[in-house]
Amino acid sequence: MTTIAPQTAPEAVSRVHTDLFVDGEWAPAASGKRFDVVNPATEEVLAQVADADAVDARRALETAAAHQAEWATTSPRFRSEILYRAHQLIVTRADEIAAVMTAEMGKPLAEAKGEVAYGAEFFRWFAEEAVRIGGDSTTTGDGSHRIEVTRQPVGPCILITPWNFPLAMATRKIGPAVAAGCTMVFKPAELTPLTSLLLADILVEAGLPAGVLNIVTTSDPSTVVTEWMESGLARKVSFTGSTEVGKLLLRQAAGTVMRTSMELGGNAPFIVCADADIPRAVDGLMFAKMRNIGQACTAANRVFVHRSVVDEFTDAFAARMSALRVGDGAAEGVQVGPLVERKAVEKVSALVSDAVAKGATVICGGENISSPGFFYPPTVLSGVGLDADLMRTEIFGPVAAIIPFGNADRPDDPAADDEVLALANDTPWGLVGYLFSQDVDRCARLSAALETGMIGVNTGAVSNPAAPFGGVKESGLGREGGRVGIEEFLDMKYTATPIHRR
Ligand code: NAD
């Protein structure tokens, strides 16, 4: 592992608008206040963006509400073509967007480019979906009435995104909202607003009319979002973030019976059965653990490995983890960037200390890296006890916790499957699970019994615009992407018409 020197901020950052974007215009917050956006690799202030309060929030939502009726009457093809053009523009400007994303969030440039490609795909996917909004027509059982079912945009939407995928979490919401004909207020995470502000520029160039998308940046999310939630003007909230804030928004949404989509936290089990293809499982865990420096809701949080293969698996995985290059994500060849903020390093470090105090062994990593920058090294812990805090908390860092299960001398004992299922499901979360086995019957049995919204079978990657992304239990409500993604932004309307027979 090497630490590579910090890079200077990319020139692209200085070209990003830093004001609020309301009604097609860039303007400072009413108070004139601004807040800092910091590069987590260097701790340098990259930009100062407008710091909105309730007054700005109100103006943005009133704007969205004022444009809703007109926007809803635009043709699906018109909306689709805006999204196609925006997709193209994102692809064309990929290097610039990736540079801004790496600077404000920390992920290595190669990963940022991967997110740009992934994020752009949501616009292409929903450009295709915009012109496929379906309906239904039938008659009542007694033949007296025609039943016509159509779909209409739900109305003005509140979109709230986290910092870990600054582009993809935005396009995954804006794409279907545009396709469905909804206007929006959008609040990106305060740690990473620049990528979202750049996206506004792209959507304007793609032809999105003024007032459809309104972006509000703030260091005080509670005040801005509460103003929106309690206004009575919004009909839908689509949130990606922690379960804690999701629950708060669900309580607020009850006040006006607002539609909700909640993409919340996870505590993903990663299961390596006795009959797994070990090199493939190691590859799978490298992706499922290390994507985004471990800061993903889909990150493998608890790695359950059958005792008959745990040493072989741990050695192979730790060798890969130790070889990773850590440093400023903007530098050539870096594979692991910093965590997003100092608090994140403190949290990860405390989780590792707790696991070790409760009996885990550090195989690699585990020591803080000196400042500047919020770095934590790739870390493998073996023999993690079920009482460790990280079993019940999202680690959100580059730490793999290996928990053995089963009997080392009895790899074929089916009781191991029941044991690992009970462990995997012993959590209030249910976003995603990963499963490695070469036995198709075992894969089918375990997949059916895992309490998660998504499962990766012999793969560590599940996210795709064509797939319905989302969780069960406290990981959320609703799905983003796939054929159902647009439904989250549509209301069903049924019209009854009498059938007159002569
Ligand atoms: P967070 O909940 O702290 O913040 C998410 C967003 O909510 C941010 O925009 C933030 O400003 C806003 N927010 C914070 N407090 C608020 C309040 N009181 N009222 C209204 N809005 C508020 O989460 P985070 O730290 O930004 O992101 C990490 C979390 O997001 C993790 O739990 C992760 O699992 C989850 N996540 C889930 C998915 C998914 O699709 N399920 C995807 C990415 C991240």
Side-chain angles (χ1 to χ4, degrees):
M1 188 186 75
T2 46
T3 303
I4 296 173
Q7 307 292 294
T8 51
E11 200 255 323
V13 166
S14 61
R15 293 198 303 271
V16 178
H17 288 287
T18 53
D19 284 333
L20 308 178
F21 181 65
V22 178
D23 214 0
E25 306 278 340
W26 295 96
S31 67
K33 287 192 185 148
R34 298 196 159 262
F35 66 95
D36 293 346
V37 181
V38 171
N39 181 336
T42 60
E43 302 185 36
E44 162 199 16
V45 174
L46 287 168
Q48 293 190 310
V49 303
D51 196 356
D53 59 17
V55 174
D56 304 298
R58 183 85 195 179
R59 187 170 76 84
L61 183 54
E62 282 172 355
T63 302
H67 286 82
Q68 178 57 60
E70 190 189 354
W71 177 236
T73 62
T74 55
S75 74
R77 183 63 73 195
F78 175 74
R79 300 195 298 270
S80 168
E81 283 173 355
I82 292 168
L83 290 174
Y84 271 122
R85 284 194 292 272
H87 165 264
Q88 274 306 306
L89 287 166
I90 294 175
V91 171
T92 310
R93 293 171 65 176
D95 287 351
E96 173 194 357
I97 302 168
V100 170
M101 191 190 299
T102 291
E104 69 174 344
M105 188 268 157
K107 70 182 75 182
L109 259 184
E111 274 199 60
K113 285 180 192 169
E115 185 184 335
V116 173
Y118 169 57
E121 279 305 310
F122 284 105
F123 279 179
R124 178 152 64 173
W125 177 264
F126 286 108
E128 290 157 352
E129 291 298 285
V131 290
R132 312 255 184 276
I133 296 170
D136 200 7
S137 181
T138 185
T139 52
T140 54
D142 64 3
S144 66
H145 286 74
R146 182 172 298 110
I147 296 172
E148 193 192 15
V149 181
T150 54
R151 283 177 173 71
Q152 298 183 328
V154 308
C157 297
I158 300 168
L159 312 182
I160 305 169
T161 55
W163 48 265
N164 57 351
F165 294 97
L167 184 77
M169 296 303 98
T171 56
R172 199 163 82 171
K173 296 184 190 307
I174 296 170
V178 168
C182 297
T183 58
M184 294 150 261
V185 284
F186 166 33
K187 195 206 76 60
E190 53 276 31
L191 291 171
T192 58
L194 301 177
T195 307
S196 304
L197 294 167
L198 189 50
L199 184 61
D201 233 13
I202 284 170
L203 281 158
V204 169
E205 195 179 336
L208 190 72
V212 173
L213 171 69
N214 304 281
I215 305 188
V216 174
T217 50
T218 181
S219 65
D220 182 5
S222 171
T223 297
V224 163
V225 175
T226 301
E227 177 68 29
W228 288 344
M229 296 296 289
E230 293 180 351
S231 69
L233 292 174
R235 290 309 317 142
K236 153 111 196 164
V237 57
S238 176
F239 172 75
T240 299
S242 61
T243 296
E244 188 191 351
V245 175
K247 286 180 181 177
L248 179 86
L249 295 178
L250 283 168
R251 282 192 288 271
Q252 290 183 334
T256 55
V257 192
M258 202 184 282
R259 290 266 308 263
T260 60
S261 298
M262 293 284 146
E263 296 288 351
L264 309 178
N267 184 4
F270 187 103
I271 301 173
V272 182
C273 297
D275 60 9
D277 174 334
I278 298 298
R280 201 166 168 192
V282 168
D283 281 347
L285 185 58
M286 284 305 292
F287 188 83
K289 179 74 254 178
M290 294 306 292
R291 179 183 187 213
N292 224 31
I293 319 148
Q295 302 167 114
C297 52
T298 50
N301 209 58
R302 297 166 297 153
V303 184
F304 298 110
V305 186
H306 195 280
R307 280 197 173 80
S308 62
V309 293
V310 71
D311 290 344
E312 179 190 354
F313 179 87
T314 305
D315 289 350
F317 180 68
R320 292 274 296 275
M321 289 283 273
S322 318
L324 291 172
R325 271 163 301 180
V326 181
D328 185 334
E332 189 70 30
V334 165
Q335 294 161 297
V336 182
L339 298 184
V340 73
E341 59 182 337
R342 187 168 306 286
K343 257 194 319 200
V345 178
E346 288 162 5
K347 175 186 162 189
V348 171
S349 181
L351 286 173
V352 170
S353 303
D354 169 78
V356 170
K358 290 172 179 164
T361 305
V362 178
I363 305 294
C364 66
E367 281 175 7
N368 287 349
I369 298 175
S370 62
S371 294
F374 311 131
F375 293 96
Y376 196 84
T379 297
V380 179
L381 301 177
S382 72
V384 175
L386 300 180
D387 56 346
D389 289 349
L390 56 74
M391 296 292 288
R392 291 174 300 281
T393 314
E394 283 186 290
I395 301 171
F396 249 57
V399 175
I402 298 181
I403 306 114
F405 72 94
N407 184 328
D409 303 323
R410 298 176 59 195
D412 298 328
D413 185 354
D417 292 352
D418 297 333
E419 180 191 341
V420 78
L421 266 178
L423 291 170
N425 288 337
D426 184 20
T427 169
W429 284 296
L431 188 62
V432 60
Y434 304 93
L435 175 57
F436 283 74
S437 162
Q438 297 186 76
D439 176 340
V440 285
D441 291 338
R442 170 173 280 153
C443 288
R445 207 169 48 243
L446 292 180
S447 295
L450 273 176
E451 296 168 354
T452 58
M454 303 178 287
I455 306 217
V457 175
N458 292 319
T459 176
V462 293
S463 305
N464 192 291
F469 189 103
V472 298
K473 295 160 79 177
E474 294 194 14
S475 286
L477 297 169
R479 294 293 180 270
E480 289 191 321
R483 294 300 312 275
V484 294
I486 195 166
E487 295 287 340
E488 300 276 328
F489 292 86
L490 293 166
D491 275 334
M492 205 181 274
K493 179 175 271 183
Y494 144 54
T495 309
T497 320
I499 299 174
H500 298 290
R501 294 208 165 76
R502 291 172 188 245

